[in-house]
Amino acid sequence: MELVSQLVRLLRDLQDPHKVARFQQLCGVRGSFAGQPSLSNGSCPRQPHQERTDEADGLRGRIVESHSPQVNGTDRETSAIRQEDSSDLAKQKPRRRNSLTGEGGQEFVIDNAFLYYLFTFGTELGNELFYITFFPFFMWNIDAYVSRRLIVIWVWVMYLGQCTKDIIRWSRPPSPPVVKVEMFYNSEYSMPSTHAMSGTAIPFSLFLLTYGRWQYPFIFGLLLALCWCFLVCTSRIYMGMHSILDVIAGFLYSILIMVIFQPALEIIDNFNLTCTYAPLIIISLHLAMGLFSFTLDTWSTSRGDTAEILGTGAGIACASNLNYMLGLMPDPPVSLLPLAVPAITTGLVVKCGTRFLLGVVILLVTRAIMKAITIPLACRIFHIPCDDIRKARQRMEVELPYRYITYGTVGFTALFVVPVIFRVLNLS
């Protein structure tokens, strides 16, 4: 019993939002809201999800707000702090706002610009912009075999992570004491960190899938995976989006999923390639997973993100099947393994850059066209007013089909349509 009580205390300690705030202060992040409580060892009580969001909204106006005469020592000290904050306006960042919900947070001051940009880059390694650039680049310029298997792992890790969040329903670290440097995912629940999960699954799966297939030093691949994982995990604490416990749980959960699915990866990939009915089965399975896996008590970005992930996985799997049936993009024979890393020449860089830029433009145009078609179409089918696109996109009847179809098309385009265009233009 003593061991259990110590474990419970440790978990509560790791969930303490004041530890997140201390880490932020150590990295040079200071909230500029007035009346911020001093950091103590006591933990901040967790509040219900919606109540905490409302509290964060109420803080928006409480930013270095008073310049009136002070009457006592404490007020004079507060005034001096506020004057110091005012002198830092050059380093003060504007309020972040969630483009989907309109939710905003307090302003904050950055004392260490290097860490700010480093952790901003780290958190972007788990965002949509990274996925829509990294996966295609790897697919078109390095190894389609590795990329399609990597996406299978990514889909399962992210899907299970998002569903687990909406089952456990733990709130984000409250503000104050935490400074919300990022706001986009603030409407989601917190446990586990899916950024930490993807930041663990992608680099380590990449390492496991490429080592022995490509010629490079073992220590290089391992160190790259460790640094990538560490940067993404710590960036979520820096951004004020997760407690230490959320990040550790996300890391361990991702490792567990990888251990379970790694033996089945060969079976899944062969099924996607060779089964005649694989596209129909995959599309139906991913649709069912998105519809019946979980329900939300209040809207958040998690449902749309889940549909986006499942749609991308379905599109990639269908493209893989079609490529195999038509004899396109064949995997290199085993006799050629391990593959040697080619010499980096100007011609190679130009060709890779041209493929990447042209391909990403095609994907972005495809996404824009599909969004413009699917949102109004879903609104019309389900008789939902689309005067306010933001509200319409939050309705399940619109959000699920729009995200699933749009990103399914993007995934299919990335692995089938774009490589065909490359062949036509002699860029393969």
Side-chain angles (χ1 to χ4, degrees):
M1 291 299 294
E2 180 63 25
L3 181 61
V4 173
S5 62
Q6 288 179 357
L7 179 60
V8 169
R9 283 197 298 270
L10 175 62
L11 295 179
R12 287 177 178 172
D13 198 42
L14 291 174
Q15 198 184 5
D16 187 358
H18 293 85
K19 283 184 168 49
V20 177
R22 286 195 192 95
F23 179 77
Q24 290 181 309
Q25 288 185 336
L26 184 66
C27 294
V29 178
R30 292 185 288 119
S32 56
F33 37 70
Q36 179 179 2
S38 60
L39 298 179
S40 64
N41 291 328
S43 62
C44 181
R46 286 189 290 109
Q47 299 179 12
H49 179 65
Q50 188 61 43
E51 291 180 10
R52 198 207 73 258
T53 302
D54 294 340
E55 178 188 349
D57 289 342
L59 290 168
R60 296 178 200 168
R62 297 165 54 189
I63 306 168
V64 195
E65 58 188 11
S66 176
H67 295 283
S68 58
Q70 310 299 328
V71 296
N72 57 45
T74 302
D75 290 337
R76 280 196 298 272
E77 182 180 341
T78 303
S79 177
I81 294 173
R82 287 173 179 165
Q83 288 174 11
E84 179 185 348
D85 286 343
S86 298
S87 68
D88 288 333
L89 287 178
K91 299 181 290 184
Q92 190 160 320
K93 303 296 178 182
R95 301 180 195 177
R96 293 296 181 89
R97 187 167 294 277
N98 186 328
S99 59
L100 292 179
T101 65
E103 179 187 5
Q106 77 278 357
E107 292 179 350
F108 53 89
V109 176
I110 298 298
D111 291 329
N112 191 320
F114 171 76
L115 289 180
Y116 172 75
Y117 290 111
L118 177 66
F119 286 123
T120 297
F121 171 74
T123 205
E124 285 300 324
L125 293 178
N127 289 342
E128 179 186 348
L129 179 62
F130 169 74
Y131 298 140
I132 207 171
T133 53
F134 173 76
F135 287 142
F137 179 86
F138 203 91
M139 192 182 299
W140 301 328
N141 292 314
I142 301 178
D143 197 332
Y145 168 91
V146 171
S147 65
R148 68 171 186 259
R149 293 189 173 211
L150 180 64
I151 289 171
V152 169
I153 297 172
W154 170 73
V155 167
W156 280 104
V157 165
M158 293 298 291
Y159 172 75
L160 292 173
Q162 292 285 14
C163 291
T164 304
K165 271 186 180 181
D166 290 281
I167 292 172
I168 296 178
R169 299 188 179 186
W170 282 9
S171 299
R172 298 274 183 183
S175 174
V178 172
V179 179
K180 298 293 183 180
V181 181
E182 179 192 283
M183 287 303 300
F184 188 81
Y185 295 104
N186 195 50
S187 59
E188 290 186 10
Y189 291 111
S190 182
M191 168 64 79
S193 167
T194 46
H195 264 77
M197 293 181 71
S198 69
T200 301
I202 293 176
F204 283 103
S205 295
L206 200 60
F207 172 57
L208 293 173
L209 290 169
T210 56
Y211 186 72
R213 180 177 173 82
W214 287 85
Q215 297 176 15
Y216 64 85
F218 174 86
I219 193 65
F220 171 78
L222 181 61
L223 285 177
L224 180 62
L226 288 171
C227 291
W228 183 334
C229 177
F230 181 76
L231 179 59
V232 175
C233 289
T234 51
S235 73
R236 302 314 289 161
I237 302 173
Y238 178 91
M239 293 291 169
M241 287 289 99
H242 288 284
S243 67
I244 299 172
L245 181 61
D246 296 339
V247 170
I248 293 175
F251 170 79
L252 296 176
Y253 193 18
S254 185
I255 294 293
L256 176 63
I257 295 170
M258 289 170 58
V259 168
I260 293 174
F261 276 91
Q262 193 68 31
L265 195 55
E266 183 76 26
I267 298 172
I268 294 172
D269 188 54
N270 286 337
F271 172 80
N272 290 345
L273 293 178
T274 60
C275 181
T276 305
Y277 301 104
L280 179 62
I281 295 171
I282 292 163
I283 291 172
S284 302
L285 175 63
H286 284 215
L287 267 176
M289 288 163 65
L291 286 171
F292 303 114
S293 58
F294 63 93
T295 57
L296 299 175
D297 56 345
T298 181
W299 182 87
S300 77
T301 51
S302 65
R303 182 172 60 204
D305 287 347
T306 303
E308 182 178 313
I309 292 161
L310 291 172
T312 302
I316 292 291
C318 292
S320 300
N321 182 269
L322 189 56
N323 281 331
Y324 181 82
M325 296 299 177
L326 297 178
L328 305 175
M329 297 179 69
D331 297 328
V334 178
S335 59
L336 295 179
L337 301 180
L339 302 172
V341 177
I344 307 299
T345 63
T346 303
L348 180 64
V349 171
V350 169
K351 200 166 189 178
C352 289
T354 303
R355 278 198 295 256
F356 175 68
L357 292 176
L358 177 61
V360 166
V361 168
I362 293 172
L363 294 188
L364 293 177
V365 170
T366 301
R367 185 180 68 167
I369 292 173
M370 293 307 299
K371 286 174 70 173
I373 293 173
T374 53
I375 294 176
L377 181 61
C379 288
R380 180 174 297 181
I381 291 174
F382 295 103
H383 306 290
I384 295 172
C386 59
D387 300 332
D388 189 337
I389 294 296
R390 178 184 290 173
K391 289 184 177 179
R393 286 169 57 179
Q394 293 180 9
R395 294 283 297 270
M396 185 182 72
E397 302 94 324
V398 174
E399 187 174 41
L400 287 181
Y402 134 63
R403 294 269 194 162
Y404 188 87
I405 295 172
T406 296
Y407 287 92
T409 306
V410 168
F412 182 84
T413 302
L415 192 56
F416 178 77
V417 177
V418 172
V420 169
I421 294 174
F422 289 163
R423 283 187 182 83
V424 172
L425 298 178
N426 197 27
L427 287 172
S428 295

